[in-house]
């Protein structure tokens, strides 16, 4: 389990590219600067996608990424902090 | 002027004036360079009316918008079919009627670029995408508009093909080549699909 604390969570299980990113972007807009959004995805591509997002956007920071096994599938967890 | 000369404090008023003038000239040059810098923008020409190619352009558009980029899509020729909501034959001449009858009547009728087999291929791809929980083209169009993706419809090709404005979805901006270039010249990424 992760040590990262978060303020809000987005369940993006079952969603495919580009939906995890699109939904995360929408939801992080409702957070205050400094707050953290946890995104749970089943899309393997989301690992690189969230890294790309953090590289391009100045207003977010990718705190951590984890892979967790759930039943018969892998879950990809992303902790995104809204910087401003 | 060598580096050591620049490091030296100005000896005379002439030196100081020359330095001030040089600073001013450099500042102007910097302003010009900054104004010509590309911005965080993506410009996409959607020329194709093939479902697969159009899907690719909308995945890029929504992805780029999610990354905080300003996105404009310029729909021209076969790409205009993507924006159709209905087919209206009234008011069209013979050629326009033929064109309209043989073109898709809405985004739902778009063929795939390979293995279309009179629309069976497109239906199959849509089913496979739905099974894998990928957003449909119509959902992506709606999402793009929600996210502020600018959609420009080429006025010239719309006119040539005899497509009336009532046949197209709302929220479009009529545009010409200069309107597109205005966006694309300032964009970091330009795509022609």
């Amino acid at each position: 389990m992760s040590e990262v604390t978060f303020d809000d969570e987005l369940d993006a299980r079952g969603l495919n590219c580009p939906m995890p990113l699109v939904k995360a972007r929408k939801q992080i807009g409702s957070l205050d600067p400094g707050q953290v959004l946890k995104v749970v995805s089943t899309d393997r591509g989301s690992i690189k996608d969230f890294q790309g997002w953090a590289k391009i956007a100045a207003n977010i920071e990718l705190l951590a990424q984890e892979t967790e096994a759930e039943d018969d599938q892998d879950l990809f967890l992303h902790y995104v902090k809204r910087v401003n | 002027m060598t580096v050591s000369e620049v490091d030296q404090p100005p000896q005379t008023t002439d030196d100081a004036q020359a330095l001030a003038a040089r600073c001013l000239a450099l500042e102007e040059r910097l302003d010009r360079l900054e104004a010509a810098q590309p911005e965080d923008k993506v410009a996409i020409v959607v020329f194709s009316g093939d479902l697969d190619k159009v899907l690719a352009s909308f995945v890029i558009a929504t992805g780029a918008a999610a990354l905080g980029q300003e996105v404009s899509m310029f729909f021209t020729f076969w790409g205009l079919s993507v924006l159709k909501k209905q087919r209206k034959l009234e008011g069209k001449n013979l050629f326009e009627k033929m064109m309209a009858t043989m073109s898709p009547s809405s985004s739902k009728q778009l063929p795939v670029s390979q293995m279309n087999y009179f629309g069976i291929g497109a239906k199959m791809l849509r089913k496979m995408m739905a099974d894998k929980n990928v957003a449909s083209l119509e959902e992506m169009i709606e999402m793009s508009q929600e996210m502020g993706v600018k959609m420009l419809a080429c006025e010239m090709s719309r006119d040539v093909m005899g497509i009336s404005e009532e046949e197209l979805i709302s929220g479009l901006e009529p545009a010409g080549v200069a309107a597109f270039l205005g966006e694309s010249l300032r964009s970091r990424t330009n795509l022609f699909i």
Side-chain angles (χ1 to χ4, degrees):
Chain A
M1 271 309 281
S2 168
E3 300 294 314
V4 185
T5 54
F6 53 92
D7 305 281
D8 201 1
E9 189 173 342
L10 168 66
D11 183 2
R13 283 183 184 90
L15 296 178
N16 260 308
C17 173
M19 290 315 289
L21 209 55
V22 169
K23 292 216 160 178
R25 156 87 178 180
K26 205 167 169 187
Q27 197 155 333
I28 206 151
S30 63
L31 297 189
D32 292 326
Q35 288 193 312
V36 177
L37 175 70
K38 175 186 178 182
V39 182
V40 184
S41 172
T42 45
D43 173 25
R44 191 191 305 273
S46 68
I47 303 171
K48 284 276 180 206
D49 275 357
F50 277 76
Q51 290 170 4
W53 181 24
K55 211 186 273 177
I56 290 163
N59 63 337
I60 63 131
E61 193 184 322
L62 187 60
L63 298 181
Q65 290 185 304
E66 286 165 15
T67 307
E68 219 172 64
E70 185 197 61
D71 306 326
D72 56 345
Q73 61 181 356
D74 280 338
L75 293 182
F76 305 99
L77 314 178
H78 317 283
Y79 298 88
V80 188
K81 182 179 171 182
R82 180 171 174 184
V83 178
N84 61 43
Chain B
M1 204 187 278
T2 65
V3 174
S4 60
E5 274 170 9
V6 174
D7 286 342
Q8 295 284 321
Q11 302 296 316
T12 66
T13 33
D14 275 359
D15 281 352
Q17 267 172 3
L19 210 60
R22 198 168 151 74
C23 275
L24 219 63
L26 280 173
E27 239 170 56
E28 272 172 28
R29 205 172 140 199
L30 185 67
D31 283 347
R32 270 205 311 275
L33 280 173
E34 271 177 354
Q37 273 285 312
E39 293 163 24
D40 286 344
K41 281 185 176 190
V42 178
I44 305 172
V45 179
V46 185
F47 180 92
S48 169
D50 292 331
L51 176 66
D52 41 358
K53 295 184 187 180
V54 171
L55 275 168
S57 38
F58 272 97
V59 171
I60 297 170
T62 49
L67 260 46
Q69 303 283 304
E70 208 183 290
V71 185
S72 18
M73 301 177 89
F74 186 77
F75 295 85
T76 187
F77 281 92
W78 313 115
L80 285 171
S81 295
V82 182
L83 307 174
K84 276 198 214 156
K85 60 172 185 213
Q86 60 180 352
R87 180 189 285 146
K88 260 185 85 181
L89 293 179
E90 300 102 81
K92 287 190 186 354
N93 66 31
L94 178 66
F95 285 155
E96 289 169 353
K97 271 183 191 150
M98 275 166 63
M99 194 112 196
T101 314
M102 290 186 291
S103 309
S105 59
S106 80
S107 62
K108 295 197 175 97
Q109 305 290 320
L110 299 182
V112 270
S113 66
Q114 316 244 327
M115 304 192 293
N116 189 49
Y117 303 116
F118 304 102
I120 296 166
K123 284 213 170 65
M124 202 176 86
L125 179 68
R126 279 183 181 268
K127 167 94 174 63
M128 289 165 81
M129 285 174 57
D131 289 347
K132 292 274 157 68
N133 223 347
V134 177
S136 72
L137 175 60
E138 289 68 33
E139 284 168 333
M140 285 200 211
I141 295 173
E142 202 187 315
M143 219 153 57
S144 301
Q145 289 194 311
E146 264 173 36
M147 294 170 89
V149 170
K150 234 192 263 178
M151 296 201 193
L152 309 152
C154 171
E155 194 63 13
M156 187 271 274
S157 52
R158 186 183 69 70
D159 195 39
V160 167
M161 298 167 93
I163 302 168
S164 68
E165 270 181 278
E166 302 103 77
E167 289 178 284
L168 302 180
I169 58 171
S170 55
L172 306 174
E173 299 173 37
V177 68
F180 168 70
L181 286 172
E183 302 290 339
S184 82
L185 288 171
R186 306 299 298 277
S187 300
R188 270 181 229 286
T189 303
N190 277 284
L191 300 170
F192 187 100
I193 300 176

